[in-house]
Amino acid sequence: MAFWKRKKNSDFISLNLSGPPEHEPERAPEPQPEPKPAPPPAPVITPPTPVVTEAPKPVVDVPAPVVEAPSPEPVVPASPVVVAPPPAPVTPSPVYSTPEPVSEEEERKGFFARFKTAVAKTRENLTERIEDVFKGKKQIDADTLDQLEEILIGADIGVQTTMTIIEDVRKQVDRQTLKEVDELKHVIKQHLIDILEKATRSRGIASETAIPDDVQPYVMMVVGVNGVGKTTTIGKLAQRIKAEGNSVVICAADTFRAAAADQLAIWAERADVPLIQQKQGTDPAAVLFDSLKAAKSRNADVLIVDTAGRLHNKQNLMAELEKMKRVAQKEVPQAPHEVLLVVDAVTGQNGLSQAREFMKAAPVTGLVLTKLDGTAKGGIAVAIAKELNLPIRYCGVGEKAEDLIVFDPQAYVDGLFE
């Protein structure tokens, strides 16, 4: 499945290499110069050989020198004749066929498999415990509902959601329309999907396609407390968006934390994208202004902005984000187009408390749920969607860049129960 759905007007550039050649007008033949006659060969003159008459030499009796016979040379045996082996037969190069594109159904199966793997710990904590509760029981009683309530709260689905599910199950049990454990799973699944899909439709930005294509660059502002994986998320976003043919620029506007720019520089180098940064303590709005200018001069498609992760003074943070928003809107219409809040799934209800505080200080439009594969309390996604009423845009299911995937409510819930 495509990670970034906001494409340019011309996704492909045709070089017309496979098309027929264009017709060119015929050119008149250029006149050829007449060949010049070759010059006659020069006559060969042979000079006469002079005749030299030698004078008679006097006869002198000189004793003949004694010359020793040369020693016979050793006989070297002839080198054997080496016969070259016959040439190896020429094997034709194999013809590799172009791999067939993966069908949408196969891609969907792979996407579901990744979600199923990511929520394996949560599935063990939720589904398997539900099956253990109903094992050997013929009907659902009050004791069973109490155990079910404990299981749902233990998976961090949230108290409000748990009470709603238990009340619905109790009504169906009283009407005797709910008897089997599979029917109970279906009821719970339907409640979870309704909550997640309602959050997607309520407010915020559910997809980057909501912004017109002629708005460029697309500005994404990322907020979150320190330690939730905000810098890693920015690096993975840049790498994944660029991998689909888009140009990306990163803005290091978190000038409060010393190591923030250094960590971003490492991720920018991995993703091979430009990073705009200034020295520590610089006004974040000034860094954003320089980044917007740089992104526009490079004709970049996406600008990802890192922000301060502190919450000790919400008034200062709110004023800082509001100033950055004004600066961005002067350069790009409707910017920032998204404000993503990064939440650590491992922290459970503490992550929900952090999200609740950030919602008071920042105009958040969507959520990023990190480390979903490392917790048995993955139900926090439902609790956050229920209370904050915001769409979950992305989730992290591993360490690699491709492990940041688009959140899918149906795949998430199916992964919990299958």
Side-chain angles (χ1 to χ4, degrees):
M1 298 177 66
F3 182 83
W4 189 254
K5 300 177 182 178
R6 191 171 185 268
K7 303 296 182 182
K8 301 178 182 178
N9 293 332
S10 56
D11 290 343
F12 303 98
I13 300 176
S14 175
L15 301 179
N16 200 22
L17 298 179
S18 59
E22 298 181 358
H23 178 71
E24 296 183 358
E26 298 182 358
R27 299 181 180 179
E30 298 180 358
Q32 301 291 336
E34 297 181 0
K36 298 181 180 180
V44 180
I45 302 175
T46 305
T49 304
V51 180
V52 180
T53 305
E54 297 181 357
K57 299 181 180 179
V59 180
V60 181
D61 292 335
V62 180
V66 180
V67 181
E68 296 181 359
S71 59
E73 298 180 358
V75 180
V76 180
S79 57
V81 179
V82 180
V83 180
V90 179
T91 304
S93 302
V95 179
Y96 297 100
S97 58
T98 304
E100 297 181 359
V102 180
S103 65
E104 185 176 352
E105 182 180 357
E106 293 177 350
E107 191 175 3
R108 178 73 183 178
K109 288 181 180 179
F111 182 76
F112 170 74
R114 300 183 71 179
F115 254 110
K116 186 176 180 180
T117 304
V119 298
K121 295 181 179 179
T122 305
R123 182 171 58 252
E124 295 173 2
N125 191 31
L126 178 64
T127 310
E128 294 182 5
R129 290 184 62 187
I130 292 176
E131 292 177 351
D132 291 340
V133 168
F134 282 86
K135 188 175 297 183
K137 292 188 177 182
K138 297 182 179 179
Q139 62 181 2
I140 303 175
D141 52 16
D143 182 55
T144 305
L145 292 179
D146 290 341
Q147 295 183 53
L148 177 61
E149 178 180 341
E150 180 183 347
I151 292 172
L152 295 177
I153 293 178
D156 262 353
I157 287 181
V159 177
Q160 295 181 8
T161 306
T162 300
M163 293 297 101
T164 304
I165 294 175
I166 294 298
E167 185 63 26
D168 187 18
V169 171
R170 182 176 286 112
K171 290 179 180 178
Q172 295 193 39
V173 169
D174 293 340
R175 294 194 301 264
Q176 296 185 354
T177 58
L178 183 62
K179 298 179 180 180
E180 301 292 334
V181 63
D182 291 337
E183 297 174 351
L184 175 63
K185 288 182 181 179
H186 178 75
V187 172
I188 298 175
K189 283 178 61 175
Q190 195 58 48
H191 273 282
L192 301 184
I193 292 176
D194 290 344
I195 292 172
L196 294 171
E197 291 184 346
K198 180 182 177 182
T200 302
R201 297 188 301 264
S202 58
R203 58 173 179 160
I205 304 297
S207 174
E208 60 274 8
T209 56
I211 305 301
D213 293 339
D214 57 348
V215 176
Q216 192 175 353
Y218 186 94
V219 182
M220 302 175 66
M221 193 175 291
V222 184
V223 299
V225 298
N226 297 329
V228 297
K230 179 162 59 77
T231 303
T232 303
T233 298
I234 292 174
K236 291 180 178 179
L237 276 172
Q239 196 163 343
R240 296 230 45 190
I241 295 174
K242 185 187 176 183
E244 295 190 357
N246 305 281
S247 56
V248 183
V249 175
I250 299 178
C251 169
D254 184 3
T255 58
F256 180 78
R257 188 166 63 97
D262 297 336
Q263 293 175 355
L264 271 181
I266 296 174
W267 275 104
E269 184 178 358
R270 290 179 184 174
D272 192 22
V273 298
L275 172 66
I276 310 300
Q277 58 181 337
Q278 293 188 15
K279 62 182 181 179
Q280 184 180 355
T282 306
D283 184 2
V287 184
L288 176 59
F289 178 79
D290 293 343
S291 302
L292 288 166
K293 290 291 186 183
K296 293 172 70 175
S297 64
R298 289 175 167 85
N299 199 25
D301 299 313
V302 181
L303 173 65
I304 306 176
V305 184
D306 184 21
T307 60
R310 61 191 188 278
L311 268 179
H312 65 276
N313 191 329
K314 290 184 291 185
Q315 294 298 327
N316 288 346
L317 179 61
M318 187 181 301
E320 179 181 297
L321 293 176
E322 187 63 30
K323 183 179 180 181
M324 295 175 67
K325 182 179 179 180
R326 292 196 305 268
V327 170
Q329 288 180 347
K330 290 181 180 179
E331 296 296 324
V332 181
Q334 305 176 26
H337 307 106
E338 277 195 78
V339 180
L340 297 177
L341 173 61
V342 182
V343 179
D344 186 354
V346 177
T347 59
Q349 292 297 319
N350 290 333
L352 178 58
S353 301
Q354 295 172 3
R356 194 183 298 114
E357 292 299 318
F358 250 104
M359 289 288 294
K360 299 176 183 178
V364 179
T365 62
L367 303 170
V368 180
L369 198 60
T370 62
K371 308 173 189 176
L372 188 60
D373 60 319
T375 179
K377 298 184 177 183
I380 189 62
V382 181
I384 290 176
K386 174 73 173 179
E387 182 163 343
L388 302 183
N389 208 20
L390 280 175
I392 301 176
R393 293 281 283 116
Y394 307 102
C395 63
V397 296
E399 296 294 332
K400 300 179 181 179
E402 57 268 20
D403 290 331
L404 181 69
I405 59 179
V406 179
F407 184 81
D408 187 300
Q410 187 69 50
Y412 167 76
V413 175
D414 288 344
L416 290 178
F417 289 90
E418 295 184 8

